[in-house]
Amino acid sequence: MELNIRIPDSTGNIFEYLQKGLFISSNSVDETLRNLYDQIEDNFESLSLFFAQIGYTLEHGNEYFYFSRNEPRMTLEQKIQRAYYWIDVLDLFKTYDETFGPGYRFQPEQILVEANINVVLQNKLDSLRKHFSDKDIRKDILDNVIRQLTKDSFLELENDKTNTYKVMSAWHYLERLIESINIYDETEEDEKPE
């Protein structure tokens, strides 16, 4: 069966970027990525059909796009460890500022200064140490977290002179991931009237 679909000229660039497991966010600092976002948005149906033919599912989130793919399942332990990491990361940044989310701009140094006077933030940052075997200094831990978030396209360096980062729309993906965790509370069950 041959599909007759029109795909944009930038399809190769879209595939090359998304197949790395990255996100294309509408609020990217990079104009090229914003243009790719617009191309996907304008041609979502055609691109979805095209990528499905090669085993990729084009997913649309809240102002971001990404690929999902049926791959061998991770072990339960690996999934739990990864979820713990993301929970700790979101907890750190939401402790720093409850409004931390897409479009937010910050400098890592601001977080370190706040951690020096805020014991709760200090403890959250220290708790991330368990995810990095060789990191003892808070600055190194925070640098590692920011490096990973940037690599995974949740953050972008907006200004290298001031070391200012911008939170991408893909951050919604992490929030959705955490919000989807349902925890059964036994006390609610005990309080039901008979």
Side-chain angles (χ1 to χ4, degrees):
M1 179 180 147
E2 187 176 313
L3 287 177
N4 188 12
I5 54 176
R6 296 184 58 80
I7 57 172
D9 293 338
S10 58
T11 300
N13 295 336
I14 293 167
F15 177 77
E16 188 176 314
Y17 193 81
L18 292 178
Q19 63 92 21
K20 296 174 185 172
L22 302 175
F23 296 81
I24 295 178
S25 295
S26 65
N27 68 339
S28 177
V29 173
D30 185 337
E31 185 179 352
T32 303
L33 289 177
R34 287 193 313 269
N35 289 334
L36 290 180
Y37 177 89
D38 292 339
Q39 287 291 310
I40 297 170
E41 189 169 56
D42 293 344
N43 300 284
F44 184 74
E45 190 173 319
S46 297
L47 287 169
S48 293
L49 290 171
F50 178 77
F51 291 131
Q53 296 300 306
I54 57 173
Y56 289 87
T57 303
L58 181 61
E59 302 281 357
H60 186 265
N62 186 359
E63 298 292 316
Y64 62 92
F65 293 103
Y66 67 101
F67 275 153
S68 64
R69 189 172 176 185
N70 292 333
E71 294 185 13
R73 299 174 68 82
M74 294 173 82
T75 67
L76 181 58
E77 185 176 336
Q78 288 171 319
K79 285 183 179 182
I80 291 170
Q81 290 304 316
R82 198 69 182 152
Y84 280 146
Y85 174 73
W86 290 124
I87 290 168
D88 287 346
V89 166
L90 261 67
D91 191 28
L92 169 74
F93 288 108
K94 289 294 188 178
T95 299
Y96 170 66
D97 188 334
E98 288 180 11
T99 64
F100 195 95
Y104 190 91
R105 288 168 174 82
F106 72 98
Q107 297 166 329
E109 298 78 21
Q110 295 168 325
I111 296 173
L112 293 171
V113 167
E114 181 68 21
N116 284 332
I117 57 175
N118 181 334
V119 177
V120 175
L121 184 62
Q122 194 175 98
N123 291 337
K124 303 286 183 184
L125 190 52
D126 288 343
S127 75
L128 281 165
R129 183 174 288 133
K130 66 184 171 248
H131 299 289
F132 305 104
S133 57
D134 61 339
K135 305 296 177 200
D136 291 329
I137 302 170
R138 285 188 189 116
K139 181 186 179 331
D140 291 343
I141 294 167
L142 184 60
D143 286 347
N144 249 19
V145 169
I146 290 171
R147 188 177 306 112
Q148 185 64 47
L149 288 168
T150 303
K151 181 180 170 226
D152 291 341
S153 64
F154 294 113
L155 301 176
E156 285 185 9
L157 181 61
E158 184 174 51
N159 185 327
D160 58 350
K161 288 181 178 28
T162 61
N163 199 30
T164 302
Y165 286 83
K166 181 179 179 184
V167 181
M168 298 294 93
S169 296
W171 190 264
H172 287 298
Y173 177 84
L174 294 177
E175 292 174 333
R176 258 189 53 230
L177 178 73
I178 303 308
E179 288 169 0
S180 70
I181 298 171
N182 290 319
I183 299 175
Y184 176 72
D185 186 1
E186 290 183 24
T187 58
E188 289 178 10
E189 184 68 29
D190 293 341
E191 294 172 1
K192 285 185 180 174
E194 293 185 28

